[in-house]
Amino acid sequence: MPVASADRPVVRTPRTPVLEVVAAVLIPIGVLALAVNWFTAYGCFIHSCGTPEPGNKVTYAVVAPVVVAAVVWTFVSAWRREASWIYLWHGPMGLVALIVAVLWAVPSFEVSPPEPEHTPWTGCVEYSGGDSDCPGG
């Protein structure tokens, strides 16, 4: 540790925010991984569409929380360093990452369309003799 003398003040250099840099690099990589994962799960190419496999679900379950944690960490780290200018980068990247994590989700549960409502057949038959089994007829 340097000794401060009266004629030479001790200058503190800010430590490099290594974890913030790592998190800022993980965000675009995670967004790309989520995009590729979603396309392999649901994308269509020349009349064949993909279906989600267990690997797609696991990839989403691992990558999405890492991306969300990286977004949160970049904001916390920048706030602790009082570096307000870096929000010009972290803000848009965080917003895009969170939108991608929500919209390109590969759910681990089965999503099935609702069954159509149908009216049961009443057995109404018109006869040619004017007789009918239909109400009002």
Side-chain angles (χ1 to χ4, degrees):
M1 187 162 151
V3 177
S5 64
D7 57 334
R8 194 178 95 197
V10 174
V11 177
R12 293 185 182 191
T13 58
R15 294 184 352 193
T16 306
V18 176
L19 289 178
E20 184 178 347
V21 171
V22 169
V25 169
L26 278 177
I27 291 171
I29 292 171
V31 166
L32 183 64
L34 288 173
V36 168
N37 185 49
W38 185 87
F39 186 75
T40 58
Y42 296 110
C44 295
F45 185 70
I46 308 178
H47 302 297
S48 66
C49 294
T51 56
E53 296 178 2
N56 296 114
K57 296 172 184 179
V58 169
T59 300
Y60 179 77
V62 171
V63 174
V66 169
V67 168
V68 171
V71 168
V72 170
W73 178 252
T74 56
F75 280 102
V76 168
S77 179
W79 175 74
R80 290 176 65 197
R81 290 186 309 118
E82 297 176 358
S84 59
W85 59 271
I86 199 70
Y87 290 117
L88 294 174
W89 171 254
H90 290 329
M93 285 303 296
L95 184 63
V96 167
L98 295 178
I99 289 171
V100 164
V102 170
L103 292 182
W104 289 346
V106 180
S108 59
F109 54 87
E110 185 75 24
V111 179
S112 60
E115 291 187 24
E117 293 183 22
H118 62 281
T119 307
W121 184 63
T122 60
C124 178
V125 178
E126 294 279 339
Y127 296 107
S128 62
D131 233 2
S132 75
D133 293 336
C134 297

